[in-house]
PDB file of all heavy atoms in Angstrom:
ATOM      1  N   CYS A  39     -40.347  99.789 186.942  1.00 98.00           N
ATOM      2  CA  CYS A  39     -40.644 100.396 188.242  1.00 98.00           C
ATOM      3  C   CYS A  39     -39.741  99.770 189.303  1.00 98.00           C
ATOM      4  O   CYS A  39     -39.099 100.481 190.088  1.00 98.00           O
ATOM      5  CB  CYS A  39     -42.115 100.178 188.581  1.00 98.00           C
ATOM      6  SG  CYS A  39     -42.629 100.833 190.182  1.00 98.00           S
ATOM      7  N   ALA A  40     -39.676  98.450 189.317  1.00 98.00           N
ATOM      8  CA  ALA A  40     -38.836  97.748 190.286  1.00 98.00           C
ATOM      9  C   ALA A  40     -37.362  98.086 190.084  1.00 98.00           C
ATOM     10  O   ALA A  40     -36.620  98.272 191.058  1.00 98.00           O
ATOM     11  CB  ALA A  40     -39.062  96.245 190.180  1.00 98.00           C
ATOM     12  N   GLU A  41     -36.951  98.194 188.824  1.00 98.00           N
ATOM     13  CA  GLU A  41     -35.546  98.521 188.532  1.00 98.00           C
ATOM     14  C   GLU A  41     -35.163  99.886 189.107  1.00 98.00           C
ATOM     15  O   GLU A  41     -34.083 100.051 189.681  1.00 98.00           O
ATOM     16  CB  GLU A  41     -35.302  98.491 187.028  1.00 98.00           C
ATOM     17  CG  GLU A  41     -35.388  97.102 186.431  1.00 98.00           C
ATOM     18  CD  GLU A  41     -35.505  97.097 184.916  1.00 98.00           C
ATOM     19  OE1 GLU A  41     -35.350  98.167 184.281  1.00 98.00           O
ATOM     20  OE2 GLU A  41     -35.761  96.016 184.359  1.00 98.00           O
ATOM     21  N   ILE A  42     -36.044 100.861 188.971  1.00 98.00           N
ATOM     22  CA  ILE A  42     -35.754 102.205 189.496  1.00 98.00           C
ATOM     23  C   ILE A  42     -35.772 102.201 191.020  1.00 98.00           C
ATOM     24  O   ILE A  42     -34.902 102.798 191.661  1.00 98.00           O
ATOM     25  CB  ILE A  42     -36.718 103.241 188.900  1.00 98.00           C
ATOM     26  CG1 ILE A  42     -36.396 103.430 187.416  1.00 98.00           C
ATOM     27  CG2 ILE A  42     -36.643 104.570 189.657  1.00 98.00           C
ATOM     28  CD1 ILE A  42     -37.415 104.213 186.630  1.00 98.00           C
ATOM     29  N   LEU A  43     -36.744 101.527 191.621  1.00 98.00           N
ATOM     30  CA  LEU A  43     -36.770 101.447 193.083  1.00 98.00           C
ATOM     31  C   LEU A  43     -35.494 100.782 193.602  1.00 98.00           C
ATOM     32  O   LEU A  43     -34.909 101.239 194.594  1.00 98.00           O
ATOM     33  CB  LEU A  43     -38.020 100.703 193.554  1.00 98.00           C
ATOM     34  CG  LEU A  43     -39.354 101.409 193.283  1.00 98.00           C
ATOM     35  CD1 LEU A  43     -40.521 100.482 193.613  1.00 98.00           C
ATOM     36  CD2 LEU A  43     -39.458 102.713 194.049  1.00 98.00           C
ATOM     37  N   ASP A  44     -35.044  99.721 192.929  1.00 98.00           N
ATOM     38  CA  ASP A  44     -33.782  99.073 193.301  1.00 98.00           C
ATOM     39  C   ASP A  44     -32.619 100.058 193.183  1.00 98.00           C
ATOM     40  O   ASP A  44     -31.790 100.165 194.088  1.00 98.00           O
ATOM     41  CB  ASP A  44     -33.499  97.860 192.409  1.00 98.00           C
ATOM     42  CG  ASP A  44     -34.335  96.643 192.760  1.00 98.00           C
ATOM     43  OD1 ASP A  44     -34.785  96.531 193.924  1.00 98.00           O
ATOM     44  OD2 ASP A  44     -34.536  95.793 191.859  1.00 98.00           O
ATOM     45  N   ARG A  45     -32.550 100.744 192.068  1.00 97.00           N
ATOM     46  CA  ARG A  45     -31.470 101.703 191.811  1.00 97.00           C
ATOM     47  C   ARG A  45     -31.407 102.781 192.883  1.00 97.00           C
ATOM     48  O   ARG A  45     -30.326 103.225 193.278  1.00 97.00           O
ATOM     49  CB  ARG A  45     -31.692 102.317 190.436  1.00 97.00           C
ATOM     50  CG  ARG A  45     -30.721 103.383 190.027  1.00 97.00           C
ATOM     51  CD  ARG A  45     -30.898 103.635 188.553  1.00 97.00           C
ATOM     52  NE  ARG A  45     -30.902 105.026 188.230  1.00 97.00           N
ATOM     53  CZ  ARG A  45     -31.299 105.514 187.078  1.00 97.00           C
ATOM     54  NH1 ARG A  45     -31.763 104.703 186.139  1.00 97.00           N
ATOM     55  NH2 ARG A  45     -31.253 106.793 186.828  1.00 97.00           N
ATOM     56  N   LEU A  46     -32.567 103.196 193.370  1.00 98.00           N
ATOM     57  CA  LEU A  46     -32.633 104.250 194.379  1.00 98.00           C
ATOM     58  C   LEU A  46     -32.515 103.708 195.810  1.00 98.00           C
ATOM     59  O   LEU A  46     -32.491 104.484 196.764  1.00 98.00           O
ATOM     60  CB  LEU A  46     -33.933 105.044 194.231  1.00 98.00           C
ATOM     61  CG  LEU A  46     -34.095 105.791 192.905  1.00 98.00           C
ATOM     62  CD1 LEU A  46     -35.486 106.414 192.812  1.00 98.00           C
ATOM     63  CD2 LEU A  46     -33.007 106.834 192.728  1.00 98.00           C
ATOM     64  N   GLY A  47     -32.462 102.394 195.949  1.00 97.00           N
ATOM     65  CA  GLY A  47     -32.332 101.795 197.276  1.00 97.00           C
ATOM     66  C   GLY A  47     -33.602 101.858 198.098  1.00 97.00           C
ATOM     67  O   GLY A  47     -33.549 101.899 199.333  1.00 97.00           O
ATOM     68  N   ILE A  48     -34.749 101.848 197.435  1.00 98.00           N
ATOM     69  CA  ILE A  48     -36.033 101.932 198.126  1.00 98.00           C
ATOM     70  C   ILE A  48     -36.607 100.523 198.267  1.00 98.00           C
ATOM     71  O   ILE A  48     -36.754  99.799 197.282  1.00 98.00           O
ATOM     72  CB  ILE A  48     -37.010 102.835 197.353  1.00 98.00           C
ATOM     73  CG1 ILE A  48     -36.476 104.267 197.308  1.00 98.00           C
ATOM     74  CG2 ILE A  48     -38.404 102.790 197.973  1.00 98.00           C
ATOM     75  CD1 ILE A  48     -37.249 105.198 196.401  1.00 98.00           C
ATOM     76  N   SER A  49     -36.944 100.152 199.497  1.00 98.00           N
ATOM     77  CA  SER A  49     -37.518  98.823 199.731  1.00 98.00           C
ATOM     78  C   SER A  49     -38.965  98.790 199.220  1.00 98.00           C
ATOM     79  O   SER A  49     -39.695  99.780 199.322  1.00 98.00           O
ATOM     80  CB  SER A  49     -37.475  98.479 201.219  1.00 98.00           C
ATOM     81  OG  SER A  49     -38.214  99.428 201.968  1.00 98.00           O
ATOM     82  N   TYR A  50     -39.345  97.641 198.682  1.00 98.00           N
ATOM     83  CA  TYR A  50     -40.697  97.520 198.129  1.00 98.00           C
ATOM     84  C   TYR A  50     -41.148  96.074 198.151  1.00 98.00           C
ATOM     85  O   TYR A  50     -40.350  95.155 198.271  1.00 98.00           O
ATOM     86  CB  TYR A  50     -40.759  98.073 196.702  1.00 98.00           C
ATOM     87  CG  TYR A  50     -39.876  97.334 195.723  1.00 98.00           C
ATOM     88  CD1 TYR A  50     -40.371  96.265 194.977  1.00 98.00           C
ATOM     89  CD2 TYR A  50     -38.538  97.692 195.543  1.00 98.00           C
ATOM     90  CE1 TYR A  50     -39.559  95.583 194.082  1.00 98.00           C
ATOM     91  CE2 TYR A  50     -37.725  97.025 194.661  1.00 98.00           C
ATOM     92  CZ  TYR A  50     -38.244  95.963 193.927  1.00 98.00           C
ATOM     93  OH  TYR A  50     -37.431  95.286 193.046  1.00 98.00           O
ATOM     94  N   ARG A  51     -42.445  95.909 198.007  1.00 98.00           N
ATOM     95  CA  ARG A  51     -43.039  94.583 197.795  1.00 98.00           C
ATOM     96  C   ARG A  51     -43.722  94.617 196.447  1.00 98.00           C
ATOM     97  O   ARG A  51     -44.507  95.516 196.161  1.00 98.00           O
ATOM     98  CB  ARG A  51     -44.030  94.253 198.901  1.00 98.00           C
ATOM     99  CG  ARG A  51     -44.645  92.871 198.725  1.00 98.00           C
ATOM    100  CD  ARG A  51     -45.195  92.349 200.006  1.00 98.00           C
ATOM    101  NE  ARG A  51     -45.874  91.079 199.825  1.00 98.00           N
ATOM    102  CZ  ARG A  51     -46.672  90.558 200.724  1.00 98.00           C
ATOM    103  NH1 ARG A  51     -46.880  91.186 201.871  1.00 98.00           N
ATOM    104  NH2 ARG A  51     -47.255  89.412 200.499  1.00 98.00           N
ATOM    105  N   PHE A  52     -43.435  93.646 195.611  1.00 98.00           N
ATOM    106  CA  PHE A  52     -43.920  93.551 194.236  1.00 98.00           C
ATOM    107  C   PHE A  52     -44.794  92.308 194.174  1.00 98.00           C
ATOM    108  O   PHE A  52     -44.290  91.193 194.343  1.00 98.00           O
ATOM    109  CB  PHE A  52     -42.697  93.428 193.326  1.00 98.00           C
ATOM    110  CG  PHE A  52     -42.908  93.709 191.878  1.00 98.00           C
ATOM    111  CD1 PHE A  52     -42.814  94.999 191.378  1.00 98.00           C
ATOM    112  CD2 PHE A  52     -43.156  92.678 190.983  1.00 98.00           C
ATOM    113  CE1 PHE A  52     -42.970  95.269 190.029  1.00 98.00           C
ATOM    114  CE2 PHE A  52     -43.312  92.929 189.626  1.00 98.00           C
ATOM    115  CZ  PHE A  52     -43.219  94.223 189.158  1.00 98.00           C
ATOM    116  N   THR A  53     -46.098  92.475 193.955  1.00 98.00           N
ATOM    117  CA  THR A  53     -46.992  91.326 194.012  1.00 98.00           C
ATOM    118  C   THR A  53     -48.202  91.516 193.099  1.00 98.00           C
ATOM    119  O   THR A  53     -48.393  92.587 192.514  1.00 98.00           O
ATOM    120  CB  THR A  53     -47.442  91.069 195.473  1.00 98.00           C
ATOM    121  OG1 THR A  53     -48.089  89.799 195.547  1.00 98.00           O
ATOM    122  CG2 THR A  53     -48.346  92.171 195.995  1.00 98.00           C
ATOM    123  N   VAL A  54     -48.993  90.484 192.995  1.00 98.00           N
ATOM    124  CA  VAL A  54     -50.220  90.506 192.189  1.00 98.00           C
ATOM    125  C   VAL A  54     -51.425  90.486 193.113  1.00 98.00           C
ATOM    126  O   VAL A  54     -51.469  89.710 194.074  1.00 98.00           O
ATOM    127  CB  VAL A  54     -50.285  89.285 191.232  1.00 98.00           C
ATOM    128  CG1 VAL A  54     -51.619  89.238 190.502  1.00 98.00           C
ATOM    129  CG2 VAL A  54     -49.138  89.315 190.251  1.00 98.00           C
ATOM    130  N   SER A  55     -52.375  91.345 192.823  1.00 97.00           N
ATOM    131  CA  SER A  55     -53.652  91.350 193.519  1.00 97.00           C
ATOM    132  C   SER A  55     -54.659  92.042 192.612  1.00 97.00           C
ATOM    133  O   SER A  55     -54.327  93.013 191.954  1.00 97.00           O
ATOM    134  CB  SER A  55     -53.536  92.080 194.860  1.00 97.00           C
ATOM    135  OG  SER A  55     -54.675  91.814 195.638  1.00 97.00           O
ATOM    136  N   SER A  56     -55.853  91.549 192.589  1.00 96.00           N
ATOM    137  CA  SER A  56     -56.865  92.083 191.677  1.00 96.00           C
ATOM    138  C   SER A  56     -58.028  92.698 192.441  1.00 96.00           C
ATOM    139  O   SER A  56     -58.487  92.136 193.442  1.00 96.00           O
ATOM    140  CB  SER A  56     -57.387  90.946 190.786  1.00 96.00           C
ATOM    141  OG  SER A  56     -58.505  91.363 190.040  1.00 96.00           O
ATOM    142  N   ALA A  57     -58.477  93.829 191.948  1.00 95.00           N
ATOM    143  CA  ALA A  57     -59.639  94.486 192.560  1.00 95.00           C
ATOM    144  C   ALA A  57     -60.890  93.623 192.414  1.00 95.00           C
ATOM    145  O   ALA A  57     -61.771  93.654 193.280  1.00 95.00           O
ATOM    146  CB  ALA A  57     -59.877  95.844 191.911  1.00 95.00           C
ATOM    147  N   HIS A  58     -60.955  92.821 191.345  1.00 94.00           N
ATOM    148  CA  HIS A  58     -62.155  92.047 191.074  1.00 94.00           C
ATOM    149  C   HIS A  58     -61.998  90.556 191.391  1.00 94.00           C
ATOM    150  O   HIS A  58     -62.885  89.947 191.974  1.00 94.00           O
ATOM    151  CB  HIS A  58     -62.555  92.197 189.596  1.00 94.00           C
ATOM    152  CG  HIS A  58     -62.789  93.615 189.233  1.00 94.00           C
ATOM    153  ND1 HIS A  58     -61.962  94.308 188.385  1.00 94.00           N
ATOM    154  CD2 HIS A  58     -63.734  94.499 189.635  1.00 94.00           C
ATOM    155  CE1 HIS A  58     -62.395  95.557 188.260  1.00 94.00           C
ATOM    156  NE2 HIS A  58     -63.462  95.697 189.011  1.00 94.00           N
ATOM    157  N   ARG A  59     -60.869  89.970 191.020  1.00 95.00           N
ATOM    158  CA  ARG A  59     -60.683  88.531 191.216  1.00 95.00           C
ATOM    159  C   ARG A  59     -60.229  88.173 192.623  1.00 95.00           C
ATOM    160  O   ARG A  59     -60.435  87.048 193.072  1.00 95.00           O
ATOM    161  CB  ARG A  59     -59.695  87.978 190.192  1.00 95.00           C
ATOM    162  CG  ARG A  59     -60.242  88.039 188.766  1.00 95.00           C
ATOM    163  CD  ARG A  59     -59.237  87.502 187.784  1.00 95.00           C
ATOM    164  NE  ARG A  59     -58.066  88.379 187.789  1.00 95.00           N
ATOM    165  CZ  ARG A  59     -57.541  88.943 186.721  1.00 95.00           C
ATOM    166  NH1 ARG A  59     -58.068  88.717 185.541  1.00 95.00           N
ATOM    167  NH2 ARG A  59     -56.491  89.724 186.807  1.00 95.00           N
ATOM    168  N   SER A  60     -59.600  89.124 193.324  1.00 95.00           N
ATOM    169  CA  SER A  60     -59.147  88.846 194.694  1.00 95.00           C
ATOM    170  C   SER A  60     -59.302  90.091 195.580  1.00 95.00           C
ATOM    171  O   SER A  60     -58.326  90.567 196.150  1.00 95.00           O
ATOM    172  CB  SER A  60     -57.702  88.354 194.691  1.00 95.00           C
ATOM    173  OG  SER A  60     -56.832  89.358 194.203  1.00 95.00           O
ATOM    174  N   PRO A  61     -60.515  90.608 195.707  1.00 96.00           N
ATOM    175  CA  PRO A  61     -60.690  91.831 196.500  1.00 96.00           C
ATOM    176  C   PRO A  61     -60.282  91.659 197.964  1.00 96.00           C
ATOM    177  O   PRO A  61     -59.767  92.595 198.576  1.00 96.00           O
ATOM    178  CB  PRO A  61     -62.173  92.161 196.362  1.00 96.00           C
ATOM    179  CG  PRO A  61     -62.826  90.884 195.952  1.00 96.00           C
ATOM    180  CD  PRO A  61     -61.788  90.127 195.169  1.00 96.00           C
ATOM    181  N   GLU A  62     -60.484  90.471 198.509  1.00 97.00           N
ATOM    182  CA  GLU A  62     -60.093  90.230 199.895  1.00 97.00           C
ATOM    183  C   GLU A  62     -58.575  90.305 200.034  1.00 97.00           C
ATOM    184  O   GLU A  62     -58.055  90.855 201.013  1.00 97.00           O
ATOM    185  CB  GLU A  62     -60.600  88.862 200.375  1.00 97.00           C
ATOM    186  CG  GLU A  62     -62.107  88.721 200.394  1.00 97.00           C
ATOM    187  CD  GLU A  62     -62.701  88.324 199.036  1.00 97.00           C
ATOM    188  OE1 GLU A  62     -61.950  88.053 198.066  1.00 97.00           O
ATOM    189  OE2 GLU A  62     -63.941  88.299 198.948  1.00 97.00           O
ATOM    190  N   ARG A  63     -57.847  89.755 199.063  1.00 98.00           N
ATOM    191  CA  ARG A  63     -56.381  89.812 199.088  1.00 98.00           C
ATOM    192  C   ARG A  63     -55.913  91.274 198.995  1.00 98.00           C
ATOM    193  O   ARG A  63     -55.008  91.685 199.712  1.00 98.00           O
ATOM    194  CB  ARG A  63     -55.801  88.984 197.941  1.00 98.00           C
ATOM    195  CG  ARG A  63     -54.286  89.085 197.810  1.00 98.00           C
ATOM    196  CD  ARG A  63     -53.750  88.142 196.711  1.00 98.00           C
ATOM    197  NE  ARG A  63     -52.372  88.409 196.374  1.00 98.00           N
ATOM    198  CZ  ARG A  63     -51.312  88.084 197.118  1.00 98.00           C
ATOM    199  NH1 ARG A  63     -51.491  87.460 198.270  1.00 98.00           N
ATOM    200  NH2 ARG A  63     -50.092  88.371 196.718  1.00 98.00           N
ATOM    201  N   THR A  64     -56.534  92.036 198.102  1.00 98.00           N
ATOM    202  CA  THR A  64     -56.168  93.441 197.943  1.00 98.00           C
ATOM    203  C   THR A  64     -56.353  94.187 199.259  1.00 98.00           C
ATOM    204  O   THR A  64     -55.468  94.930 199.695  1.00 98.00           O
ATOM    205  CB  THR A  64     -57.004  94.088 196.817  1.00 98.00           C
ATOM    206  OG1 THR A  64     -56.754  93.388 195.599  1.00 98.00           O
ATOM    207  CG2 THR A  64     -56.663  95.560 196.649  1.00 98.00           C
ATOM    208  N   GLU A  65     -57.484  93.985 199.895  1.00 98.00           N
ATOM    209  CA  GLU A  65     -57.739  94.659 201.167  1.00 98.00           C
ATOM    210  C   GLU A  65     -56.753  94.207 202.242  1.00 98.00           C
ATOM    211  O   GLU A  65     -56.180  95.035 202.960  1.00 98.00           O
ATOM    212  CB  GLU A  65     -59.171  94.400 201.633  1.00 98.00           C
ATOM    213  CG  GLU A  65     -59.499  95.118 202.920  1.00 98.00           C
ATOM    214  CD  GLU A  65     -60.970  95.085 203.269  1.00 98.00           C
ATOM    215  OE1 GLU A  65     -61.756  94.419 202.589  1.00 98.00           O
ATOM    216  OE2 GLU A  65     -61.319  95.754 204.261  1.00 98.00           O
ATOM    217  N   ALA A  66     -56.527  92.908 202.352  1.00 98.00           N
ATOM    218  CA  ALA A  66     -55.623  92.387 203.377  1.00 98.00           C
ATOM    219  C   ALA A  66     -54.186  92.881 203.149  1.00 98.00           C
ATOM    220  O   ALA A  66     -53.508  93.285 204.107  1.00 98.00           O
ATOM    221  CB  ALA A  66     -55.668  90.856 203.393  1.00 98.00           C
ATOM    222  N   LEU A  67     -53.725  92.853 201.904  1.00 98.00           N
ATOM    223  CA  LEU A  67     -52.373  93.331 201.603  1.00 98.00           C
ATOM    224  C   LEU A  67     -52.217  94.818 201.927  1.00 98.00           C
ATOM    225  O   LEU A  67     -51.204  95.239 202.483  1.00 98.00           O
ATOM    226  CB  LEU A  67     -52.035  93.094 200.131  1.00 98.00           C
ATOM    227  CG  LEU A  67     -51.619  91.703 199.727  1.00 98.00           C
ATOM    228  CD1 LEU A  67     -51.576  91.569 198.209  1.00 98.00           C
ATOM    229  CD2 LEU A  67     -50.271  91.343 200.338  1.00 98.00           C
ATOM    230  N   THR A  68     -53.208  95.596 201.574  1.00 98.00           N
ATOM    231  CA  THR A  68     -53.152  97.033 201.840  1.00 98.00           C
ATOM    232  C   THR A  68     -53.045  97.291 203.330  1.00 98.00           C
ATOM    233  O   THR A  68     -52.183  98.055 203.791  1.00 98.00           O
ATOM    234  CB  THR A  68     -54.381  97.745 201.244  1.00 98.00           C
ATOM    235  OG1 THR A  68     -54.428  97.486 199.841  1.00 98.00           O
ATOM    236  CG2 THR A  68     -54.323  99.244 201.485  1.00 98.00           C
ATOM    237  N   ARG A  69     -53.882  96.649 204.102  1.00 98.00           N
ATOM    238  CA  ARG A  69     -53.862  96.845 205.561  1.00 98.00           C
ATOM    239  C   ARG A  69     -52.552  96.324 206.169  1.00 98.00           C
ATOM    240  O   ARG A  69     -51.951  96.980 207.027  1.00 98.00           O
ATOM    241  CB  ARG A  69     -55.062  96.160 206.198  1.00 98.00           C
ATOM    242  CG  ARG A  69     -56.372  96.800 205.755  1.00 98.00           C
ATOM    243  CD  ARG A  69     -57.496  96.560 206.722  1.00 98.00           C
ATOM    244  NE  ARG A  69     -58.766  96.969 206.185  1.00 98.00           N
ATOM    245  CZ  ARG A  69     -59.164  98.229 205.979  1.00 98.00           C
ATOM    246  NH1 ARG A  69     -58.358  99.211 206.245  1.00 98.00           N
ATOM    247  NH2 ARG A  69     -60.358  98.496 205.492  1.00 98.00           N
ATOM    248  N   GLU A  70     -52.106  95.147 205.732  1.00 98.00           N
ATOM    249  CA  GLU A  70     -50.864  94.552 206.243  1.00 98.00           C
ATOM    250  C   GLU A  70     -49.658  95.447 205.949  1.00 98.00           C
ATOM    251  O   GLU A  70     -48.846  95.733 206.837  1.00 98.00           O
ATOM    252  CB  GLU A  70     -50.666  93.177 205.598  1.00 98.00           C
ATOM    253  CG  GLU A  70     -49.332  92.524 205.833  1.00 98.00           C
ATOM    254  CD  GLU A  70     -49.140  91.309 204.936  1.00 98.00           C
ATOM    255  OE1 GLU A  70     -50.124  90.579 204.677  1.00 98.00           O
ATOM    256  OE2 GLU A  70     -47.993  91.095 204.488  1.00 98.00           O
ATOM    257  N   LEU A  71     -49.551  95.890 204.714  1.00 98.00           N
ATOM    258  CA  LEU A  71     -48.411  96.711 204.334  1.00 98.00           C
ATOM    259  C   LEU A  71     -48.447  98.076 205.017  1.00 98.00           C
ATOM    260  O   LEU A  71     -47.412  98.596 205.435  1.00 98.00           O
ATOM    261  CB  LEU A  71     -48.347  96.851 202.821  1.00 98.00           C
ATOM    262  CG  LEU A  71     -47.871  95.578 202.125  1.00 98.00           C
ATOM    263  CD1 LEU A  71     -48.268  95.560 200.665  1.00 98.00           C
ATOM    264  CD2 LEU A  71     -46.374  95.429 202.289  1.00 98.00           C
ATOM    265  N   GLU A  72     -49.617  98.651 205.139  1.00 97.00           N
ATOM    266  CA  GLU A  72     -49.724  99.928 205.837  1.00 97.00           C
ATOM    267  C   GLU A  72     -49.294  99.760 207.298  1.00 97.00           C
ATOM    268  O   GLU A  72     -48.557 100.602 207.834  1.00 97.00           O
ATOM    269  CB  GLU A  72     -51.149 100.474 205.739  1.00 97.00           C
ATOM    270  CG  GLU A  72     -51.278 101.881 206.251  1.00 97.00           C
ATOM    271  CD  GLU A  72     -52.626 102.496 205.938  1.00 97.00           C
ATOM    272  OE1 GLU A  72     -53.611 101.756 205.707  1.00 97.00           O
ATOM    273  OE2 GLU A  72     -52.697 103.732 205.939  1.00 97.00           O
TER     274      GLU A  72
END
Side-chain angles (χ1 to χ4, degrees):
C39 178
E41 292 165 9
I42 290 169
L43 293 172
D44 284 335
R45 177 167 136 194
L46 297 174
I48 296 171
S49 60
Y50 62 92
R51 181 159 176 195
F52 197 87
T53 191
V54 174
S55 193
S56 171
H58 302 112
R59 293 179 295 234
S60 63
E62 297 84 5
R63 175 175 168 75
T64 300
E65 182 169 6
L67 281 169
T68 302
R69 295 203 190 289
E70 170 191 324
L71 286 160
E72 189 170 22

